[in-house]
Amino acid sequence: QITLKESGPTLMKPTQTLTLTCTFSGFSLNTNGVGVGWIRQPPGKALEWLALVFWDDDNRYSPSLESRLTVTKDTSKNQVVLIMTNMDPVDTATYYCAHAFRYCSGGTCQVRVFDHWGQGTVVTVS
Amino acid sequence: EIVMTQSPATLSVSPGERATLSCRASQSISSKLAWYQQKPGQAPRLLVYGASTRATGIPGRFSGSGSGTEFTLTITSLQSEDFAVYYCQQYYNWPPAITFGQGTRLEIK
């Protein structure tokens, strides 16, 4: 059974650096074809993808936020950490981490679909 | 960046009827599209990936179709638990990246 849970501060001040931890179970980030992503959702708004870390240490970031984001993984602790610098009130949102699985179709494989999500953690910047 | 546009923004349908939700990509994304359902206060739930493959445990009344730039999520015989917000997500080449649509709210008529 795959589970994920986000943890971190709930209230931040502008310009501070956010550090969120995703602690997961039921899978390993050492396993070929696995990824963990971060997605956020401002109140009443749509989902926004932030970052994705893969089993092979490849990290991908949203182009619009790449300069502010860092994702690291600790496979021994089953954790993924998201760091976002220079927080602003517009970054107020629920932040989710999610498991990405691999599927193959038409000769290519993808690891960019999120089949298990954490409950989310609310971060307010004020 | 590939922009995903969902329509309508809000859809009112009676229980037991069919709902058809649309998602359009600003450029071709082949079949690299997923659909998610989100209920208030909950995390999104994966429904469909690869444009038409139902995720594990998803009822057969949910079906996805389309390729290229036009995609549809159809829900037949709507149940009370199906009223929620639905998002499409594209995951075509890197870059541009993963992007979500703005969502369609499915409400009870």
Side-chain angles (χ1 to χ4, degrees), chain A residues 39 41 45-49 52 54 60 63 96 101 103 108 110 112-115 117-118, chain B residues 32 34 36 38 42-44 46 49-50 87 89 91-94 96-98 100-102:
Chain A
I39 303 99
Q41 185 172 38
K45 295 188 177 181
L47 301 165
E48 178 184 20
W49 171 70
L52 187 48
F54 296 96
R60 302 287 176 142
Y96 297 98
F101 69 101
Y103 80 93
T108 63
Q110 313 293 330
R112 301 170 209 166
V113 179
F114 305 106
D115 60 344
W117 294 61
Chain B
K32 305 299 188 290
Y36 299 85
Q38 187 178 33
Q42 296 185 17
L46 176 66
Y49 62 93
Y87 293 97
Q89 172 215 333
Y91 46 98
Y92 199 53
N93 290 344
W94 301 105
I98 292 170
F100 291 88
Q102 81 279 20

Side-chain angles (χ1 to χ4, degrees), chain B residues 3 11 13-14 28 31 39 41-42 48 58-59 65 67 72 78-79 85 87 90-91 93 95 99 109:
Chain B
V3 176
L11 182 61
V13 183
S14 300
S28 177
S31 297
K39 297 179 181 179
Q42 296 185 17
V48 169
I58 301 304
S65 63
S67 66
T72 300
L78 276 165
Q79 307 294 303
V85 179
Y87 293 97
Q90 69 80 20
Y91 46 98
N93 290 344
T99 50
K109 186 174 182 180

